[in-house]
């Protein structure tokens, strides 16, 4: 039994559910950024793909790759939808 693997699977399931949601523009993803040492928020409308264990965001003509294990919370209309 590996609790970390179970948490990772739950994270992936929540992310894929949100990514396929017909109103994904109503969701935000909060994750911890190691470079700035703070939590950042991305709108799910900028989420273009989930590749392996990375979220790929397109915003302002740039691509951002966020490791899925850094996702701490998914918000729907400002309220917590899923939290690690």
């Amino acid at each position: 039994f590996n609790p970390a693997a179970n948490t990772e699977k739950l994270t992936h399931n929540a992310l894929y559910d949100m990514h396929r949601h017909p109103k994904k523009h109503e969701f935000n993803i909060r994750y911890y950024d190691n470079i700035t040492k703070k939590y950042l928020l991305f709108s799910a409308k900028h989420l273009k793909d989930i590749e392996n264990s990375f979220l790929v965001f397109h915003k302002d003509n740039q691509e951002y790759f966020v490791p899925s294990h850094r996702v701490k919370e998914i918000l729907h209309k400002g309220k917590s939808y899923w939290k690690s």
Side-chain angles (χ1 to χ4, degrees):
F1 177 72
N2 183 351
N6 191 33
T7 301
E8 190 173 314
K9 180 145 178 89
L10 291 172
T11 303
H12 281 272
N13 288 345
L15 289 168
Y16 278 107
D17 288 347
M18 181 221 36
H19 185 49
R20 291 188 305 254
H21 196 280
K23 294 185 179 180
K24 89 174 185 180
H25 63 279
E26 296 178 347
F27 290 85
N28 289 299
I29 299 165
R30 188 171 70 95
Y31 73 96
Y32 186 75
D33 183 47
N34 276 345
I35 295 171
T36 62
K37 303 290 186 208
K38 62 183 179 180
Y39 289 96
L40 299 177
L41 200 66
F42 262 107
S43 173
K45 71 180 177 185
H46 298 295
L47 179 63
K48 296 303 174 197
D49 202 4
I50 300 174
E51 296 178 1
N52 297 321
S53 52
F54 287 89
L55 307 176
V56 182
F57 292 94
H58 289 262
K59 185 177 179 186
D60 302 326
N61 294 324
Q62 290 188 340
E63 240 180 10
Y64 299 91
F65 292 86
V66 176
S68 62
H69 70 273
R70 295 238 172 92
V71 173
K72 300 302 176 196
E73 188 173 20
I74 298 173
L75 302 161
H76 182 249
K77 295 184 178 179
K79 295 185 181 179
S80 186
Y81 174 79
W82 176 89
K83 197 171 192 174
S84 70

